[in-house]
Amino acid sequence: IHPEYGVFTTADFIQKCRYIVKGPVFVASDNHEAIEMMRKDYEIVTFDCLIREVDETFTHYGTWIKYAYNRQMWEEAMIDMIALSRAKELICRTSNLSNAAILFSNTITKIHRL
């Protein structure tokens, strides 16, 4: 949802993973479709968020606006961020959740940006 930084899909993440991933992958996503696409190619671990879009076709900030005052959304985002911060390598795009994971991490040794 940040077209000014480029438009990427789950397929772009999967393509990047092919060159990097050698084991299980933690997937932090705001939609179920992306998780299922990743599950086809990789052994994945994910936090089972209750607030998540069905697919990656949304083109606006609807989910975030809809749940902006919902404590659960922020708690789930924080859990995803903490889990990401424990990774050794991180594949990400422009995202404050990814940026926070990097800042709070003492384990991330390599960042792969899309």
Side-chain angles (χ1 to χ4, degrees):
I1 59 176
H2 299 290
E4 64 273 21
Y5 297 112
V7 178
F8 300 97
T9 66
T10 303
D12 296 309
F13 280 91
I14 291 171
Q15 183 67 24
K16 188 80 165 182
C17 283
R18 286 191 177 115
Y19 299 102
I20 300 165
V21 175
K22 301 201 178 22
V25 178
F26 176 78
V27 178
S29 179
D30 55 9
N31 71 81
H32 293 288
E33 180 181 38
I35 291 169
E36 292 309 311
M37 288 175 71
M38 291 293 294
R39 193 181 312 276
K40 289 177 186 175
D41 291 334
Y42 300 97
E43 178 185 347
I44 69 162
V45 176
T46 188
F47 170 65
D48 193 19
C49 297
L50 297 175
I51 298 175
R52 199 176 260 150
E53 291 290 331
V54 173
D55 57 36
E56 64 179 324
T57 60
F58 63 97
T59 57
H60 54 79
Y61 296 95
T63 299
W64 305 113
I65 291 170
K66 181 177 170 184
Y67 293 105
Y69 298 102
N70 183 315
R71 180 181 174 142
Q72 182 175 352
M73 185 202 64
W74 295 104
E75 289 172 351
E76 290 177 354
M78 188 64 107
I79 291 168
D80 266 347
M81 183 274 301
I82 291 168
L84 284 173
S85 75
R86 304 301 297 152
K88 182 177 178 184
E89 294 187 50
L90 181 64
I91 301 171
C92 60
R93 57 161 295 151
T94 301
S95 159
N96 282 330
L97 187 114
S98 297
N99 292 340
I102 293 163
L103 289 172
F104 288 108
S105 180
N106 61 1
T107 60
I108 295 174
T109 59
K110 187 152 188 169
I111 300 162
H112 307 273
R113 296 256 185 206
L114 289 181

